[in-house]
Amino acid sequence: QKEVEQNSGPLSVPEGAIASLNCTYSDRGSQSFFWYRQYSGKSPELIMSIYSNGDKEDGRFTAQLNKASQYVSLLIRDSQPSDSATYLCAVRDQGAQKLVFGQGTRLTINP
Amino acid sequence: GAVVSQHPSRVICKSGTSVKIECRSLDFQATTMFWYRQFPKQSLMLMATSNEGSKATYEQGVEKDKFLINHASLTLSTLTVTSAHPEDSSFYICSARHGTGTLYEQYFGPGTRLTVT
């Protein structure tokens, strides 16, 4: 059973600080990694994709991938109350079409 | 780019009736679309994978005769919930494959909230 693990939280971070979200996956054959943000009552929104080891930055977001440790993380700099949401880590194996999602981490940014 | 729409956004129907939900990729062609269901405070559950021009692949435990999926064009997939019952009430979300090759992304539609009375 392929698994993607996330701490369900809630994770509370003060406004302006860095929020760090972590995800581990079980299948070494995984090739593609994604972070989605889901506000309550809404559908998931893709915020980052990462395919190779290292860091990928996009605005206030940085995704980090370490395939040897089977670990992917998302850093949110200068956290804003509008970042409060559930963050879903998703992984896709090479050759597969479907994503395997983690349970999601609920993030709260406190003003 | 990579916008996916769904229609309707909300629907209320009576038990025993059928409901059709449309999923469209607005600014790209999607050879593959996916249908998910999400109950309150629970994770996304993949129901089926739909490839344009071929039959959908359903996940284990999903009744293919109850949840009819059609992907007749590169921009449209439909999900029909047949003989709906109150336990089918849920948030139905589609997503579409954007990109080719092995490195591609999935973009989600805004979802359809189904209530069966």
Side-chain angles (χ1 to χ4, degrees), chain A residues 49-98:
Chain A
S49 60
I50 186 165
Y51 303 102
S52 54
N53 278 327
D55 294 1
K56 179 182 177 182
E57 186 174 319
D58 184 1
R60 295 186 296 113
F61 299 98
T62 299
Q64 299 175 318
L65 175 62
N66 183 325
K67 289 186 179 180
S69 301
Q70 296 175 237
Y71 178 93
V72 58
S73 65
L74 179 70
L75 301 178
I76 307 175
R77 287 182 301 282
D78 188 23
S79 297
Q80 303 296 309
S82 59
D83 295 325
S84 298
T86 295
Y87 288 80
L88 302 170
C89 174
V91 174
R92 186 175 64 231
D93 290 349
Q94 184 179 23
Q97 295 195 89
K98 62 184 180 182

Side-chain angles (χ1 to χ4, degrees), chain B:
Chain B
V3 179
V4 179
S5 71
Q6 273 184 252
H7 178 80
S9 57
R10 287 182 179 271
V11 59
I12 300 172
C13 70
K14 292 189 185 299
S15 189
T17 62
S18 295
V19 172
K20 181 186 279 190
I21 301 169
E22 291 186 349
C23 176
R24 292 182 186 273
S25 55
L26 296 186
D27 53 357
F28 65 101
Q29 293 184 327
T31 54
T32 306
M33 290 185 174
F34 305 85
W35 286 95
Y36 293 83
R37 182 165 58 178
Q38 188 174 37
F39 293 106
K41 299 194 187 305
Q42 293 190 23
S43 298
L44 289 168
M45 188 197 82
L46 179 66
M47 300 175 67
T49 301
S50 158
N51 290 299
E52 186 264 338
S54 62
K55 290 184 178 180
T57 302
Y58 291 81
E59 294 299 302
Q60 193 171 8
V62 177
E63 301 174 60
K64 62 180 181 180
D65 294 330
K66 180 170 182 63
F67 299 99
L68 302 179
I69 292 171
N70 184 282
H71 191 164
S73 81
L74 288 172
T75 60
L76 173 65
S77 177
T78 60
L79 167 68
T80 301
V81 183
T82 63
S83 186
H85 292 286
E87 58 265 30
D88 298 323
S89 298
S90 189
F91 191 38
Y92 291 86
I93 316 171
C94 72
S95 70
R97 169 179 172 160
H98 178 261
T100 58
T102 58
L103 303 181
Y104 58 87
E105 298 163 339
Q106 263 190 51
Y107 288 87
F108 284 85
T112 296
R113 199 162 299 280
L114 170 64
T115 303
V116 184
T117 61

